[in-house]
């Protein structure tokens, strides 16, 4: 049977070893890979699993790597841990997210370095958020690593961390640990918001002070930015 004929083979019909081998080779062909992997998803053998794992080491399409990792998570293959660790280092954010989800469910200690790296260095916000959820699922002391996200530049990552912290019944320790991260406005904002959620006491002032009118102290001020720029240039002259 030809390669395309093998892929067109009815899934309910058992495939021969030769046909399965053709399917694993089809994973390397962009026009056949997505069809081939769906058939291989129904075949749980060491050779098939090895072929799926090898996808994670190459430069295959991100969606294809993600599907391979999803299939592997449903199998009891001893190489799954290595597949997860490889997935955490993938160039594709979607693959890293699936790998973090595997770590979240397995609590594999070998995944901790990769999750910490993802939380602090990953350029994708959704990957860092996945790392927060994964690390929060680990037992202490590893789960406290999520506090690193208190200074994350994206509010969605900080929000994910806050939601995890609100489910922990350790308010004093959380605030004490957060205080050690410094006084950056993002960190201060996280602490104030947590305090508000814990106590219902609003952290902001009841009355907002009226700002000083710049015209009262700045002789060259003008509300029109173009005029202000002209005034500044005239001062230079």
């Amino acid at each position: 049977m030809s390669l395309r004929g093998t892929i067109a083979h009815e899934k309910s019909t058992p495939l021969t070893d030769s046909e399965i081998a053709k399917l694993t080779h089809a994973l390397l062909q962009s026009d056949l890979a997505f069809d081939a992997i769906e058939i291989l998803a129904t075949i749980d053998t060491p050779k098939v699993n090895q072929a799926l794992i090898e996808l994670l080491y190459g430069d295959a399409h991100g969606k294809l790597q993600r599907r391979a990792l999803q299939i592997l998570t449903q199998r009891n293959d001893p190489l799954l841990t290595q597949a997860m660790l490889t997935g955490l280092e993938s160039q594709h954010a979607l693959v890293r997210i699936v790998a973090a989800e595997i770590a979240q469910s397995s609590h594999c200690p070998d995944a901790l370095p990769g999750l910490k790296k993802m939380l602090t260095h990953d350029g994708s916000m959704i990957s860092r958020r996945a790392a927060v959820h994964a690390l929060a699922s680990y037992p202490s002391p590893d789960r406290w690593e999520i506090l690193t996200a208190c200074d994350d530049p994206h509010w969605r990552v900080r929000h994910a961390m806050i939601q995890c912290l609100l489910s922990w019944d350790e308010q004093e320790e959380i605030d004490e640990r957060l205080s050690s991260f410094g006084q950056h406005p993002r960190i201060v904002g996280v602490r104030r918001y947590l305090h508000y959620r814990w106590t219902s006491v609003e952290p902001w002032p009841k009355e907002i002070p009226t700002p000083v009118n710049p015209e009262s102290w700045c002789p060259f001020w003008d509300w029109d930015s173009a005029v202000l720029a002209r005034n500044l240039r005239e001062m230079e002259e």
Side-chain angles (χ1 to χ4, degrees):
M1 183 181 293
S2 68
L3 190 57
R4 292 185 181 276
T6 300
I7 291 180
H9 202 289
E10 290 292 335
K11 292 183 181 180
S12 59
T13 304
L15 296 175
T16 65
D17 290 343
S18 175
E19 290 169 339
I20 293 174
K22 290 179 180 179
L23 284 169
T24 59
H25 287 298
L27 292 175
L28 304 178
Q29 301 184 33
S30 59
D31 60 331
L32 300 173
F34 287 97
D35 290 326
I37 199 170
E38 292 306 323
I39 298 177
L40 292 173
T42 67
I43 305 171
D44 187 356
T45 67
K47 289 185 178 180
V48 169
N49 293 344
Q50 182 62 45
L52 294 175
I53 290 173
E54 288 176 359
L55 277 179
L56 303 177
Y57 289 91
D59 57 356
H61 194 285
K63 290 184 178 179
L64 190 66
Q65 290 186 336
R66 182 186 188 189
R67 183 65 179 125
L69 200 50
Q70 289 173 331
I71 294 170
L72 289 167
T73 62
Q74 302 169 6
R75 302 180 176 181
N76 187 27
D77 192 285
L79 294 178
L80 176 58
T81 297
Q82 185 56 47
M84 174 190 61
L85 298 179
T86 302
L88 289 174
E89 299 291 336
S90 172
Q91 62 178 320
H92 302 292
L94 293 178
V95 178
R96 299 194 297 274
I97 290 170
V98 173
E101 291 171 350
I102 297 174
Q104 182 176 345
S105 61
S106 66
H107 296 158
C108 175
D110 293 338
L112 285 170
L115 290 172
K116 295 174 185 178
K117 179 182 177 181
M118 184 184 297
L119 180 57
T120 56
H121 293 86
D122 201 298
S124 167
M125 173 277 293
I126 55 175
S127 294
R128 299 197 304 275
R129 184 172 59 184
V132 167
H133 289 301
L135 287 167
S137 71
Y138 279 75
S140 293
D142 296 315
R143 67 174 183 165
W144 289 105
E145 293 292 336
I146 72 170
L147 295 184
T148 306
C150 68
D151 190 26
D152 192 278
H154 202 290
W155 71 268
R156 290 189 182 276
V157 180
R158 301 195 303 274
H159 180 265
M161 179 203 69
I162 288 171
Q163 295 307 304
C164 293
L165 294 177
L166 288 173
S167 67
W168 300 357
D169 189 23
E170 299 169 86
Q171 298 177 7
E172 291 185 4
E173 184 172 1
I174 289 172
D175 189 62
E176 181 180 351
R177 285 175 178 264
L178 283 173
S179 67
S180 67
F181 282 84
Q183 296 298 313
H184 188 281
R186 287 196 288 258
I187 302 171
V188 173
V190 166
R191 295 181 64 194
R192 286 180 176 176
Y193 180 72
L194 284 170
H195 185 265
Y196 167 67
R197 291 293 303 273
W198 290 329
T199 65
S200 297
V201 176
E202 296 180 353
W204 43 85
K206 298 294 183 181
E207 298 182 2
I208 306 299
T210 302
V212 177
N213 188 338
E215 291 180 328
S216 65
W217 59 270
C218 184
F220 55 84
W221 176 263
D222 196 285
W223 293 103
D224 187 320
S225 59
V227 176
L228 177 59
R230 184 198 64 192
N231 294 341
L232 289 171
R233 287 196 299 270
E234 290 177 351
M235 292 179 61
E236 293 178 354
E237 296 173 357

